[in-house]
Amino acid sequence: WEIRKDASLELDNLVSFLNENPDINISLGSHTDSRGKDEYNLRLSQRRAESVLAYLFDKGIHFSRITAKG
C-alpha cells in the first residue's frame, strides 16, 4: 500500500487537476488481484485507498473532496 514513485507522478497530476477544479470531488477505488485470502485482500485494497487519500491530503486536497473505498 506504499505509494511508488511512478504512482506519485500520476497522483501529482491528479492534485494539479483538483487544484485547478476546486468544485470537483472524486471517489477513489482500489483493488487487488485474486491471490490470497479474501479478508487479506479486502484489508489490502482499503489500505491502498487510504494511502492515496493521505497522499492527496498531504498535497493540500481536503478529505471532504474524496471518498476512498477498497
Side-chain angles (χ1 to χ4, degrees):
W1 61 86
E2 293 182 26
I3 306 291
R4 298 184 323 246
K5 281 189 174 189
D6 61 323
S8 67
L9 295 174
E10 293 300 323
L11 291 174
D12 289 342
N13 289 333
L14 178 59
V15 169
S16 294
F17 175 80
L18 290 171
N19 283 330
E20 293 168 4
N21 300 279
D23 294 330
I24 291 179
N25 298 325
I26 62 170
S27 177
L28 290 175
S30 177
H31 64 276
T32 64
D33 58 28
S34 60
R35 292 178 286 181
K37 296 185 178 194
D38 289 347
E39 183 178 324
Y40 171 81
N41 285 330
L42 287 171
R43 283 193 316 250
L44 177 58
S45 65
Q46 187 61 36
R47 286 183 193 142
R48 287 177 175 172
E50 290 169 0
S51 291
V52 172
L53 179 67
Y55 184 92
L56 296 175
F57 183 76
D58 288 345
K59 297 290 184 171
I61 306 301
H62 195 270
F63 288 127
S64 64
R65 297 183 63 193
I66 308 163
T67 303
K69 174 97 170 107

